[in-house]
Amino acid sequence: MKKIGVLFGPENTFPGALVDRINSLEIDGIRAEFVHVGGVRMAAPSGYAVIVDRVSHDLPFYRSYLKNALLTGTYVINNPFWWSADDKFFNYALAARLGVDVPRTVLLPHKQLPPQITSRSLRNLEYPLDWDSIFHYIGFPAYLKPHDGGGWRDVHYVRSREEFFEAYDQTRDLSMVLQAEVAYEQYFRCIVVGQSDVLIMPYDPGRPHEQRYVLDHRLRDKALIRKIRKSALALCRALGYDFNSVEFAVQNGVPFAIDYFNPAPDADLHTIGQGNFDWVVDAVARLCVRKAQARTPLPRMRWSALLNGALPKARKPRAGKAAASKKPAGKAIRSSGAARD
Ligand SMILES: Nc1ncnc2c1ncn2[C@@H]1O[C@H](COP(=O)(O)OP(=O)(O)O)[C@@H](O)[C@H]1O
Ligand SMILES: [Mg+2]
């Protein structure tokens, strides 16, 4: 019997539905259940052919457990090694290298030193920073956000130098990026499963958290949808994620990739709606079964391709043109989503 395990945190709808869906397929030799784990012996098999990880970003114990599980033959969705290594700034750079449109982005040193660090550790760091050149490259308005963020935490919208410094002063010892605003006419969130299936959902970030998915919208612009699908797949394939969400802000018909570091994407029935929920549950259930049945379940480490010069030539990034905006200045935008979105 091959077991598929689901490891999850506070979410209520997706994990149970996934287990039920896999079991309802009634595939010989395959059963799904919630993962059960205690003290973990090194190099001991987990007992699962596949584990779907929805929570290890919040609990380092789980991340370590999953690395051990992968070592001993479990296929983990998503790969815990790559998830640990990845960050949003790298993601933006990767998009630029892949030829996916992405807003101009700069990585900034921490505003405050992390604990235990003294100025002796900073002798390689330019001081003061060349703010004029950074602001000239990015322009205003812009977004100041953590380089590995999630759930809209510590995301600041800034319209001027003054607002930038006011926001930057609040960023503690976080590593932040400054990114040109895309003054979008449309916004989409895509769930990508198995690096092949793409669900494109119109999304309105201006609405309250639980109403952001625009459920009554029909997707009409075929060329735009094709482009979004192609870019979402290119990003997830390059990153090696099996289950991810990719956000695009569309300006003048061009989809700019905004956030695709969501390896436990929001899949809650009450936010994405019944039709989307059924799609995601079914697609992930079938992916788990495929992985459980695969003869060699262990993944190829895709990022090695990034290191051997296999990427296409770099392209100059296009960027969102600054536009007047009604959004509040310099304010942190928050949401209470449990999944990492
Ligand atoms: N460059 C940008 N242009 C326009 N809107 C942005 C930009 N960056 C972030 N946002 C807005 O802020 C929200 C949160 O930013 P995001 O990068 O998705 O962070 P998180 O990982 O915390 O969700 C986005 O959903 C979008 O509404
Ligand atoms: Mg996001």
Side-chain angles (χ1 to χ4, degrees), residues 251-263:
Q251 183 181 30
N252 300 327
V254 178
F256 289 89
I258 299 289
D259 179 15
Y260 35 105
F261 180 39
N262 299 309

Side-chain angles (χ1 to χ4, degrees), residues 178-189:
L178 183 65
Q179 182 171 74
E181 180 199 30
V182 177
Y184 55 86
E185 64 264 3
Q186 289 183 89
Y187 203 97
F188 293 93
R189 214 147 196 252

